[in-house]
Amino acid sequence: MIILKTDEEIEGIRKASRLVAQTLEYIESYIRPGVTTSDLNQKIDAFIRKHGGLPAFLGYRGYPASSCISLNHEVVHGIPSRAKVIRSGDLVKIDIGVIFQGYIGDAAKTFVVGEVPPRVRELVETTRKALYKGITMAQPGHYLSEISKAIQEEVEAHGFSVVRELAGHGVGLRLHEDPSIPNFVDSHRKGPKLKPGMVLAIEPMVNMGTHEVRTLADGWTVVTADGQPSAHFEHTVAILADGPEILTEVHKSQWQRKT
Ligand code: MF3
Ligand code: CO
C-alpha cells in the first residue's frame, strides 16, 4: 500500500532529508586517499547526531553501521571498515538515511577520488543524469514506470546496464515503503499512477559491464558479477500537485519553498 503523506508529514520528511543532504555535503571534504570507510562512517554518524538526527540504517534489519560506503565494483550496502582504505582512482558511493523527529530521508552519491578513466567518469555522470531524468517524470498523473523507463533509456543509450535485483522505494515514515521503483521496465506494466503526497527514494544503480550482481558472505555488500565498476545516486523526492520536489538537495527547491 502506498502511503500518501500530508503536508505536515512532508514537512517532517523535508527536514530529515535536508539533514541527509547536509551530511553528504559535509562528508565530501573528508573523502581522500588514506582515509578508511570506517573513518567516514564515524564522521557521518557524529554529524547526524550533532544535528538532532539518528542514522536510519544502523540496526535496520541488523545492518551494523550508520551509512553504506561502497567502493568501485561494490554496488551498494558496503559495510564501512577500518580495513578499507580509500585510494586515488576510487569510486566512493555513500548512502545515508536519517531519522529526524520520526521522519526519514534517504540519499546517495558517487564521489570520484582523483583521476579516473574517461569511461568511468561517463558512468558516474550518466548515473547522475539518469536519476534526474527519472525525477523529471515524477509528476502527478504519470505512471511509476515512466520513471523507470527514463532511467533505463539514459543508461542504455550510453552502453551501461541497470542493476535489476535492487530498486528504489517509497520512503518517509519507514525507510522502505511501497512502491518498489525498478530502474528498468520489464513489460508493458505501467505501475501505479503517481499522486500528490507520494514520497519516493529514486536510486539508479548502474554498472559498466553486466547488470548482474551478487551478495558477499557478509550478507550485505552487493558487488558486480564481473568486477567492473558501478555508480549510484539517490534522492528522496516528494510528488506535489505542481511536480516533484527534491528533498535531499540543499541548494535548490528547498529554499525556494515556504516551509
Ligand atoms: N538506501 C539504502 C536502500 O534504500 C539503504 C540501505 S539499507 C540498510 O536500500 F540496511 F543498509 F540500511
Ligand atoms: Co534507498
PDB file of all heavy atoms in Angstrom, residues 65-87:
ATOM      1  N   ALA A  65      26.078  -0.500  10.610  1.00  0.00           N
ATOM      2  CA  ALA A  65      26.748   0.810  10.553  1.00  0.00           C
ATOM      3  C   ALA A  65      25.749   1.927  10.292  1.00  0.00           C
ATOM      4  O   ALA A  65      24.574   1.681  10.024  1.00  0.00           O
ATOM      5  CB  ALA A  65      27.829   0.783   9.479  1.00  0.00           C
ATOM      6  N   SER A  66      26.250   3.170  10.338  1.00  0.00           N
ATOM      7  CA  SER A  66      25.387   4.348  10.200  1.00  0.00           C
ATOM      8  C   SER A  66      25.274   4.844   8.772  1.00  0.00           C
ATOM      9  O   SER A  66      24.521   5.776   8.487  1.00  0.00           O
ATOM     10  CB  SER A  66      25.922   5.464  11.100  1.00  0.00           C
ATOM     11  OG  SER A  66      25.889   5.025  12.438  1.00  0.00           O
ATOM     12  N   SER A  67      26.071   4.250   7.881  1.00  0.00           N
ATOM     13  CA  SER A  67      25.999   4.590   6.458  1.00  0.00           C
ATOM     14  C   SER A  67      26.411   3.358   5.671  1.00  0.00           C
ATOM     15  O   SER A  67      26.960   2.413   6.236  1.00  0.00           O
ATOM     16  CB  SER A  67      26.963   5.744   6.137  1.00  0.00           C
ATOM     17  OG  SER A  67      28.299   5.359   6.423  1.00  0.00           O
ATOM     18  N   CYS A  68      26.132   3.395   4.364  1.00  0.00           N
ATOM     19  CA  CYS A  68      26.667   2.368   3.479  1.00  0.00           C
ATOM     20  C   CYS A  68      27.739   3.044   2.628  1.00  0.00           C
ATOM     21  O   CYS A  68      27.484   4.102   2.041  1.00  0.00           O
ATOM     22  CB  CYS A  68      25.584   1.806   2.563  1.00  0.00           C
ATOM     23  SG  CYS A  68      24.217   1.002   3.440  1.00  0.00           S
ATOM     24  N   ILE A  69      28.931   2.449   2.590  1.00  0.00           N
ATOM     25  CA  ILE A  69      30.012   3.016   1.779  1.00  0.00           C
ATOM     26  C   ILE A  69      30.573   1.909   0.889  1.00  0.00           C
ATOM     27  O   ILE A  69      31.129   0.919   1.375  1.00  0.00           O
ATOM     28  CB  ILE A  69      31.112   3.645   2.654  1.00  0.00           C
ATOM     29  CG1 ILE A  69      30.484   4.649   3.646  1.00  0.00           C
ATOM     30  CG2 ILE A  69      32.162   4.321   1.769  1.00  0.00           C
ATOM     31  CD1 ILE A  69      31.481   5.411   4.506  1.00  0.00           C
ATOM     32  N   SER A  70      30.373   2.069  -0.404  1.00  0.00           N
ATOM     33  CA  SER A  70      30.690   1.017  -1.372  1.00  0.00           C
ATOM     34  C   SER A  70      31.725   1.538  -2.356  1.00  0.00           C
ATOM     35  O   SER A  70      31.557   2.624  -2.912  1.00  0.00           O
ATOM     36  CB  SER A  70      29.411   0.618  -2.119  1.00  0.00           C
ATOM     37  OG  SER A  70      28.340   0.397  -1.199  1.00  0.00           O
ATOM     38  N   LEU A  71      32.800   0.773  -2.541  1.00  0.00           N
ATOM     39  CA  LEU A  71      33.901   1.205  -3.400  1.00  0.00           C
ATOM     40  C   LEU A  71      33.886   0.459  -4.735  1.00  0.00           C
ATOM     41  O   LEU A  71      33.681  -0.755  -4.774  1.00  0.00           O
ATOM     42  CB  LEU A  71      35.254   0.923  -2.720  1.00  0.00           C
ATOM     43  CG  LEU A  71      35.476   1.521  -1.313  1.00  0.00           C
ATOM     44  CD1 LEU A  71      36.862   1.129  -0.781  1.00  0.00           C
ATOM     45  CD2 LEU A  71      35.322   3.031  -1.340  1.00  0.00           C
ATOM     46  N   ASN A  72      34.127   1.191  -5.813  1.00  0.00           N
ATOM     47  CA  ASN A  72      34.415   0.604  -7.134  1.00  0.00           C
ATOM     48  C   ASN A  72      33.388  -0.436  -7.589  1.00  0.00           C
ATOM     49  O   ASN A  72      32.275  -0.078  -7.936  1.00  0.00           O
ATOM     50  CB  ASN A  72      35.847   0.057  -7.128  1.00  0.00           C
ATOM     51  CG  ASN A  72      36.823   1.162  -6.745  1.00  0.00           C
ATOM     52  OD1 ASN A  72      36.664   2.292  -7.198  1.00  0.00           O
ATOM     53  ND2 ASN A  72      37.798   0.865  -5.911  1.00  0.00           N
ATOM     54  N   HIS A  73      33.752  -1.730  -7.566  1.00  0.00           N
ATOM     55  CA  HIS A  73      32.820  -2.762  -8.045  1.00  0.00           C
ATOM     56  C   HIS A  73      31.756  -3.123  -7.013  1.00  0.00           C
ATOM     57  O   HIS A  73      30.855  -3.905  -7.306  1.00  0.00           O
ATOM     58  CB  HIS A  73      33.607  -4.020  -8.446  1.00  0.00           C
ATOM     59  CG  HIS A  73      34.138  -4.769  -7.261  1.00  0.00           C
ATOM     60  ND1 HIS A  73      35.076  -4.233  -6.410  1.00  0.00           N
ATOM     61  CD2 HIS A  73      33.830  -5.986  -6.759  1.00  0.00           C
ATOM     62  CE1 HIS A  73      35.337  -5.100  -5.435  1.00  0.00           C
ATOM     63  NE2 HIS A  73      34.598  -6.171  -5.627  1.00  0.00           N
ATOM     64  N   GLU A  74      31.862  -2.560  -5.819  1.00  0.00           N
ATOM     65  CA  GLU A  74      30.781  -2.729  -4.845  1.00  0.00           C
ATOM     66  C   GLU A  74      29.642  -1.801  -5.274  1.00  0.00           C
ATOM     67  O   GLU A  74      29.858  -0.607  -5.491  1.00  0.00           O
ATOM     68  CB  GLU A  74      31.268  -2.375  -3.435  1.00  0.00           C
ATOM     69  CG  GLU A  74      32.379  -3.311  -2.945  1.00  0.00           C
ATOM     70  CD  GLU A  74      33.061  -2.830  -1.679  1.00  0.00           C
ATOM     71  OE1 GLU A  74      32.840  -1.677  -1.268  1.00  0.00           O
ATOM     72  OE2 GLU A  74      33.845  -3.610  -1.104  1.00  0.00           O
ATOM     73  N   VAL A  75      28.456  -2.365  -5.412  1.00  0.00           N
ATOM     74  CA  VAL A  75      27.326  -1.602  -5.964  1.00  0.00           C
ATOM     75  C   VAL A  75      26.661  -0.769  -4.870  1.00  0.00           C
ATOM     76  O   VAL A  75      26.568   0.456  -4.969  1.00  0.00           O
ATOM     77  CB  VAL A  75      26.308  -2.565  -6.618  1.00  0.00           C
ATOM     78  CG1 VAL A  75      25.108  -1.806  -7.164  1.00  0.00           C
ATOM     79  CG2 VAL A  75      26.983  -3.374  -7.732  1.00  0.00           C
ATOM     80  N   VAL A  76      26.190  -1.442  -3.833  1.00  0.00           N
ATOM     81  CA  VAL A  76      25.557  -0.783  -2.681  1.00  0.00           C
ATOM     82  C   VAL A  76      25.767  -1.632  -1.428  1.00  0.00           C
ATOM     83  O   VAL A  76      26.242  -2.764  -1.507  1.00  0.00           O
ATOM     84  CB  VAL A  76      24.018  -0.598  -2.879  1.00  0.00           C
ATOM     85  CG1 VAL A  76      23.703   0.486  -3.904  1.00  0.00           C
ATOM     86  CG2 VAL A  76      23.342  -1.919  -3.233  1.00  0.00           C
ATOM     87  N   HIS A  77      25.377  -1.038  -0.279  1.00  0.00           N
ATOM     88  CA  HIS A  77      25.350  -1.732   1.016  1.00  0.00           C
ATOM     89  C   HIS A  77      26.729  -2.199   1.483  1.00  0.00           C
ATOM     90  O   HIS A  77      26.830  -3.164   2.256  1.00  0.00           O
ATOM     91  CB  HIS A  77      24.362  -2.916   1.003  1.00  0.00           C
ATOM     92  CG  HIS A  77      22.959  -2.504   0.647  1.00  0.00           C
ATOM     93  ND1 HIS A  77      21.964  -3.407   0.376  1.00  0.00           N
ATOM     94  CD2 HIS A  77      22.388  -1.284   0.513  1.00  0.00           C
ATOM     95  CE1 HIS A  77      20.844  -2.761   0.093  1.00  0.00           C
ATOM     96  NE2 HIS A  77      21.073  -1.474   0.164  1.00  0.00           N
ATOM     97  N   GLY A  78      27.784  -1.505   1.036  1.00  0.00           N
ATOM     98  CA  GLY A  78      29.127  -1.785   1.556  1.00  0.00           C
ATOM     99  C   GLY A  78      29.182  -1.412   3.035  1.00  0.00           C
ATOM    100  O   GLY A  78      28.693  -0.347   3.432  1.00  0.00           O
ATOM    101  N   ILE A  79      29.747  -2.285   3.843  1.00  0.00           N
ATOM    102  CA  ILE A  79      29.847  -2.028   5.283  1.00  0.00           C
ATOM    103  C   ILE A  79      31.168  -1.305   5.558  1.00  0.00           C
ATOM    104  O   ILE A  79      32.231  -1.814   5.204  1.00  0.00           O
ATOM    105  CB  ILE A  79      29.800  -3.348   6.088  1.00  0.00           C
ATOM    106  CG1 ILE A  79      28.501  -4.107   5.792  1.00  0.00           C
ATOM    107  CG2 ILE A  79      29.939  -3.067   7.585  1.00  0.00           C
ATOM    108  CD1 ILE A  79      28.449  -5.502   6.415  1.00  0.00           C
ATOM    109  N   PRO A  80      31.094  -0.124   6.167  1.00  0.00           N
ATOM    110  CA  PRO A  80      32.326   0.609   6.485  1.00  0.00           C
ATOM    111  C   PRO A  80      33.277  -0.262   7.300  1.00  0.00           C
ATOM    112  O   PRO A  80      32.845  -1.028   8.169  1.00  0.00           O
ATOM    113  CB  PRO A  80      31.822   1.805   7.295  1.00  0.00           C
ATOM    114  CG  PRO A  80      30.418   2.012   6.819  1.00  0.00           C
ATOM    115  CD  PRO A  80      29.890   0.625   6.553  1.00  0.00           C
ATOM    116  N   SER A  81      34.578  -0.121   7.003  1.00  0.00           N
ATOM    117  CA  SER A  81      35.569  -0.987   7.635  1.00  0.00           C
ATOM    118  C   SER A  81      36.897  -0.264   7.784  1.00  0.00           C
ATOM    119  O   SER A  81      37.296   0.512   6.906  1.00  0.00           O
ATOM    120  CB  SER A  81      35.764  -2.234   6.755  1.00  0.00           C
ATOM    121  OG  SER A  81      36.967  -2.887   7.090  1.00  0.00           O
ATOM    122  N   ARG A  82      37.585  -0.560   8.883  1.00  0.00           N
ATOM    123  CA  ARG A  82      38.914   0.036   9.105  1.00  0.00           C
ATOM    124  C   ARG A  82      39.933  -0.546   8.132  1.00  0.00           C
ATOM    125  O   ARG A  82      41.012  -0.008   7.959  1.00  0.00           O
ATOM    126  CB  ARG A  82      39.355  -0.205  10.551  1.00  0.00           C
ATOM    127  CG  ARG A  82      38.493   0.586  11.527  1.00  0.00           C
ATOM    128  CD  ARG A  82      38.785   0.209  12.962  1.00  0.00           C
ATOM    129  NE  ARG A  82      40.159   0.524  13.338  1.00  0.00           N
ATOM    130  CZ  ARG A  82      40.682   0.224  14.523  1.00  0.00           C
ATOM    131  NH1 ARG A  82      39.953  -0.400  15.431  1.00  0.00           N
ATOM    132  NH2 ARG A  82      41.932   0.545  14.793  1.00  0.00           N
ATOM    133  N   ALA A  83      39.582  -1.662   7.505  1.00  0.00           N
ATOM    134  CA  ALA A  83      40.496  -2.300   6.554  1.00  0.00           C
ATOM    135  C   ALA A  83      40.336  -1.735   5.142  1.00  0.00           C
ATOM    136  O   ALA A  83      41.115  -2.050   4.249  1.00  0.00           O
ATOM    137  CB  ALA A  83      40.245  -3.805   6.548  1.00  0.00           C
ATOM    138  N   LYS A  84      39.326  -0.904   4.926  1.00  0.00           N
ATOM    139  CA  LYS A  84      39.095  -0.369   3.585  1.00  0.00           C
ATOM    140  C   LYS A  84      39.619   1.053   3.478  1.00  0.00           C
ATOM    141  O   LYS A  84      38.999   2.000   3.965  1.00  0.00           O
ATOM    142  CB  LYS A  84      37.607  -0.407   3.252  1.00  0.00           C
ATOM    143  CG  LYS A  84      37.168  -1.821   2.958  1.00  0.00           C
ATOM    144  CD  LYS A  84      35.895  -1.869   2.187  1.00  0.00           C
ATOM    145  CE  LYS A  84      35.663  -3.286   1.707  1.00  0.00           C
ATOM    146  NZ  LYS A  84      34.263  -3.546   1.435  1.00  0.00           N
ATOM    147  N   VAL A  85      40.766   1.162   2.834  1.00  0.00           N
ATOM    148  CA  VAL A  85      41.447   2.448   2.709  1.00  0.00           C
ATOM    149  C   VAL A  85      41.167   3.020   1.317  1.00  0.00           C
ATOM    150  O   VAL A  85      41.323   2.325   0.309  1.00  0.00           O
ATOM    151  CB  VAL A  85      42.968   2.267   2.899  1.00  0.00           C
ATOM    152  CG1 VAL A  85      43.674   3.618   2.841  1.00  0.00           C
ATOM    153  CG2 VAL A  85      43.266   1.563   4.219  1.00  0.00           C
ATOM    154  N   ILE A  86      40.753   4.278   1.285  1.00  0.00           N
ATOM    155  CA  ILE A  86      40.457   4.923   0.012  1.00  0.00           C
ATOM    156  C   ILE A  86      41.747   5.296  -0.711  1.00  0.00           C
ATOM    157  O   ILE A  86      42.707   5.763  -0.093  1.00  0.00           O
ATOM    158  CB  ILE A  86      39.547   6.137   0.261  1.00  0.00           C
ATOM    159  CG1 ILE A  86      38.160   5.598   0.649  1.00  0.00           C
ATOM    160  CG2 ILE A  86      39.481   7.061  -0.943  1.00  0.00           C
ATOM    161  CD1 ILE A  86      37.215   6.619   1.176  1.00  0.00           C
ATOM    162  N   ARG A  87      41.757   5.014  -2.023  1.00  0.00           N
ATOM    163  CA  ARG A  87      42.918   5.300  -2.873  1.00  0.00           C
ATOM    164  C   ARG A  87      42.509   6.219  -4.013  1.00  0.00           C
ATOM    165  O   ARG A  87      41.331   6.250  -4.403  1.00  0.00           O
ATOM    166  CB  ARG A  87      43.443   3.983  -3.491  1.00  0.00           C
ATOM    167  CG  ARG A  87      43.902   2.944  -2.485  1.00  0.00           C
ATOM    168  CD  ARG A  87      45.170   3.385  -1.791  1.00  0.00           C
ATOM    169  NE  ARG A  87      45.583   2.460  -0.736  1.00  0.00           N
ATOM    170  CZ  ARG A  87      46.231   2.847   0.374  1.00  0.00           C
ATOM    171  NH1 ARG A  87      46.517   4.116   0.591  1.00  0.00           N
ATOM    172  NH2 ARG A  87      46.600   1.953   1.274  1.00  0.00           N
TER     173      ARG A  87
END
